[in-house]
Amino acid sequence: MGVLPSSEVVVGGAVRRGWWLVVDETDGPCRIVAGPFPDRAEAGWAAGACEHEDVRAVYGVGRADGGLDRRPSPEDWAWLAHLGEQLDRLPEDWDAEITDDDPLTTLVVEVAAALVETGLPLHDAGGDGSEVGGVCLLPQPGLGGIVVAWRQHDRMSVDQVHGPAADAMVQRVMNSAVAEVLQLRGFQVDAFGGASGHVVRSAA
C-alpha cells in the first residue's frame, strides 16, 4: 500500500488516478494490462518491457470494475495552458467577424496547435516581444481560410543587418517550411500573395 501524490494514486483506496498501460479490444473498450504509474516516463519504461506489442500509455482513473475513465493528464493541462498563451498572441480583433462556433475559429485553433507542437511560436504583434517574430495567423472569412506567413526577427526584417538578399531568402525558406509542416499535418495549403504567405484551409 502506498500513496503517490504526483498522480493522486491511492492503492487499496477509492481513487487510482495515474498512467495506465492498455491494449485496444476489437469488441469493446480498451483493457488495462498494468498500472497505475505516477508519471508518463515510468509508464513508458513499463511499456518497453510489456509482452503486448500494441500496448499504449493513457491517463485516467481506474474504476472498481476494472475499466478506465480517461482524464486529461497534467501534461495535457500544461499543453492547453501553453496553447492558450500562444493564441493570446493573435491580434485582439481576430475573431471580430467570426463566432465561436464558426468552422474558421476551430481552424485557427487547429492550425495554431499544429505549429506550436512543431516548436514554432506565434507572432505576438501587439506584445512586448513583437520584435522576436514567429508565425502570423490572419483569419480571412472571404477566403474561407487563414493567411499564414512567417515573421522574422526585427534584426532580419526591419534592420536588415544581413542585407535585403538574406532577408528575402530566409523569408522564402521559412514560409515554405511553415507551409510544408501544415501540409504534412493534413491541411490544404495554397500560395498567396506571390508566395510571401499561404492560405490554409481544412482538408476536403
Side-chain angles (χ1 to χ4, degrees):
M1 176 176 174
V3 178
L4 301 168
S6 63
S7 62
E8 300 180 38
V9 175
V10 179
V11 177
V15 177
R16 297 191 303 163
R17 182 189 303 267
W19 288 93
W20 305 79
L21 297 184
V22 303
V23 292
D24 293 320
E25 299 286 1
T26 57
D27 57 350
C30 62
R31 176 170 55 89
I32 295 175
V33 296
F37 302 94
D39 54 53
R40 183 162 51 188
E42 188 170 330
W45 280 106
C50 187
E51 62 183 15
H52 298 278
E53 294 183 358
D54 56 350
V55 70
R56 59 192 178 92
V58 298
Y59 190 85
V61 177
R63 300 196 306 264
D65 63 1
L68 180 68
D69 291 330
R70 294 288 303 272
R71 295 286 188 273
S73 70
E75 291 83 356
D76 291 331
W77 288 117
W79 157 248
L80 290 172
H82 178 60
L83 179 58
E85 292 170 358
Q86 292 291 308
L87 289 169
D88 286 342
R89 296 182 175 191
L90 295 175
E92 291 185 3
D93 59 348
W94 74 268
D95 56 351
E97 298 182 19
I98 53 179
T99 61
D100 289 345
D101 56 356
D102 190 301
L104 197 54
T105 301
T106 301
L107 180 62
V108 169
V109 176
E110 291 175 344
V111 168
L115 293 169
V116 176
E117 285 173 339
T118 305
L120 297 171
L122 300 188
H123 180 228
D124 190 0
D128 295 335
S130 60
E131 75 283 356
V132 174
V135 184
C136 300
L137 302 183
L138 183 61
Q140 291 291 316
L143 296 175
I146 307 167
V147 174
V148 178
W150 180 255
R151 169 66 157 80
Q152 300 178 70
H153 195 288
D154 278 0
R155 281 176 56 82
M156 287 289 289
S157 60
V158 178
D159 302 333
Q160 295 198 342
V161 296
H162 300 290
D167 172 33
M169 291 176 62
V170 171
Q171 186 66 36
R172 184 165 56 251
V173 168
M174 289 304 299
N175 276 331
S176 177
V178 169
E180 188 170 351
V181 164
L182 293 175
Q183 285 177 325
L184 289 171
R185 291 298 304 272
F187 298 99
Q188 177 185 336
V189 181
D190 300 301
F192 177 80
S196 61
H198 294 82
V199 177
V200 179
R201 301 179 178 90
S202 295

